[in-house]
């Protein structure tokens, strides 16, 4: 019988994780089955318990269960503890191990796939919710020259920055407070693109050779990426590469082997016919 994995979310039907992990398994000759499982909003832990009882070896967790998954774990990786959220679970002998591969996926997409080192760069992280929190420690591990968190609510940005202050200096402020500064890498971790909104960023935050990265992906350019292009940003990227790389990192956690990602990412970029 092949090893059983799943992604839990609500909604979950749109998830590309089954396709991605099935492709990784085929390419690396590993025998596993990967399903999308819809968990009721008030029934995540029960759904996980049923999955473990059915022999599930590991799972990914997506919206809105990442914080609940964090609380369910009996052991956490350092990066999951820092993120306060878990996107990868591994089950063995009654233990629930939780990891968070989102930040590693983002960093790998930027440094490897896009070929843009983060070391010594000035990074502006937009947003102060769970998505932003999950990527801060891995970004700091790349030793940027500066990391500033800007958010609609500056108080939330300040709280988040202080939670990571033991790792490196992290600045914070409102969008308006970035006036007069420019950044090499701007990462949109707000939910603004979901609602088609752009961010009130001062002109000049996009340094000419900068990378504008939207953690969202989907239908064409997001409002943030259109905004960045209009301000002359040299490199634009959506979150599809991060999605594939966080999955590769989860696959590594479960199977001890990192799958190649380039071909799959190219196929996904080519569209639904792939
Ligand atoms: P997630 O887990 O996706 O980060 P979240 O914790 O609800 O979700 O956080 C959403 C983030 O998007 C927050 O930083 C939020 O800003 P506030 O903290 O000020 O609410 C941000 N956000 C959502 N809609 C936005 C919009 N239209 N413009 C700017 N920021 C927005």
């Amino acid at each position: 019988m092949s090893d059983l994995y799943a992604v839990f979310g609500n909604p979950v039907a749109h998830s590309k994780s089954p396709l991605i992990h099935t492709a990784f398994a085929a390419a690396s000759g590993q025998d596993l089955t990967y399903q999308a499982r819809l968990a009721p909003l008030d029934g995540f832990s029960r759904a996980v318990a049923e999955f473990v009882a059915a022999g599930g070896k590991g799972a990914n967790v997506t919206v809105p269960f990442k914080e609940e998954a964090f609380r369910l774990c009996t052991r956490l990786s350092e990066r999951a503890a820092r993120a306060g959220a878990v996107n990868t679970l591994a089950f063995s002998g009654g233990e629930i191990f939780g990891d968070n591969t989102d930040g590693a996926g983002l960093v790998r997409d930027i440094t490897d796939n896009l070929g843009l080192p983060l070391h010594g760069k000035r990074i502006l992280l937009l947003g102060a919710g769970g998505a932003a929190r999950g990527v801060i420690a891995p970004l700091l591990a790349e030793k940027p020259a500066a990391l500033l968190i800007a958010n609609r609510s500056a108080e939330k940005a300040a709280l988040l920055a202080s939670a990571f202050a033991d790792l490196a200096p992290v600045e914070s402020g409102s969008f308006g407070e970035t006036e007069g500064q420019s950044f090499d890498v701007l990462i949109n971790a707000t939910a603004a693109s979901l609602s088609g909104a752009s961010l009130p960023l001062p002109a000049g935050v996009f340094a000419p050779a900068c990378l504008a990265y939207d953690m969202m992906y989907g239908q064409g350019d997001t409002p943030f990426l259109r905004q960045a292009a209009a301000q002359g940003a040299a490199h634009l990227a959506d979150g599809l590469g991060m999605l594939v790389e966080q999955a590769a990192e989860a696959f590594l956690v479960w199977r001890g082997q990192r799958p190649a990602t380039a071909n799959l990412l190219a196929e996904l970029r080519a569209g639904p016919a792939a």
Side-chain angles (χ1 to χ4, degrees):
M1 221 179 78
S2 65
D3 290 342
L4 183 60
Y5 294 86
V7 56
F8 288 93
N10 189 331
V12 79
H14 67 286
S15 173
K16 293 191 197 300
S17 291
L19 184 157
I20 292 171
H21 283 284
T22 302
F24 285 163
S28 56
Q30 301 226 9
D31 186 14
L32 62 86
T33 303
Y34 190 108
Q35 308 168 337
R37 292 208 169 195
L38 179 73
L41 290 176
D42 63 352
F44 173 71
S45 62
R46 195 174 62 243
V48 170
E50 284 165 9
F51 183 67
V52 174
K57 292 259 189 296
N60 285 127
V61 181
T62 188
V63 177
F65 299 124
K66 289 185 187 182
E67 281 86 5
E68 199 174 339
F70 170 83
R71 293 191 293 272
L72 200 65
C73 292
T74 56
R75 189 164 67 87
L76 291 166
S77 68
E78 167 66 24
R79 60 193 180 183
R82 279 276 172 190
V86 154
N87 77 334
T88 302
L89 296 167
F91 313 113
S92 70
E95 177 182 271
I96 304 179
F97 171 69
D99 200 350
N100 190 314
T101 66
D102 285 333
L106 172 70
V107 166
R108 192 169 260 270
D109 191 36
I110 294 174
T111 58
D112 286 29
N113 297 340
L114 301 173
L116 300 168
L118 291 166
H119 180 84
K121 297 291 165 55
R122 287 177 49 76
I123 302 177
L124 176 61
L125 179 62
L126 302 160
R133 185 180 190 103
V135 301
I136 294 172
L139 286 174
L140 289 175
E142 296 299 298
K143 306 249 178 294
L147 176 64
L148 192 152
I149 303 170
N151 194 47
R152 186 169 58 181
S153 142
E155 297 75 23
K156 264 177 79 176
L159 267 177
L160 193 54
S162 66
F164 290 85
D166 60 316
L167 294 180
V170 181
E171 298 161 65
S172 69
S174 65
F175 296 128
E177 283 170 318
T178 60
E179 179 87 58
Q181 302 190 56
S182 70
F183 297 87
D184 308 306
V185 178
L186 297 93
I187 300 166
N188 182 18
T190 73
S193 292
L194 276 180
S195 57
S198 56
L199 301 172
L201 292 169
V205 288
F206 296 94
C210 78
L211 164 67
Y213 194 107
D214 201 325
M215 284 167 56
M216 297 284 150
Y217 65 90
Q219 37 329 66
D221 275 355
T222 64
F224 171 70
L225 294 180
R226 284 198 295 274
Q227 192 174 1
Q231 297 284 330
H235 307 277
L236 305 176
D238 70 11
L240 191 63
M242 174 178 174
L243 175 78
V244 172
E245 295 300 339
Q246 64 75 30
E249 192 79 14
F251 196 91
L252 174 64
V253 170
W254 294 326
R255 313 297 296 185
Q257 189 179 337
R258 170 183 288 286
T261 53
N263 289 347
L264 177 63
L265 188 50
E267 280 172 30
L268 289 172
R269 289 228 184 276

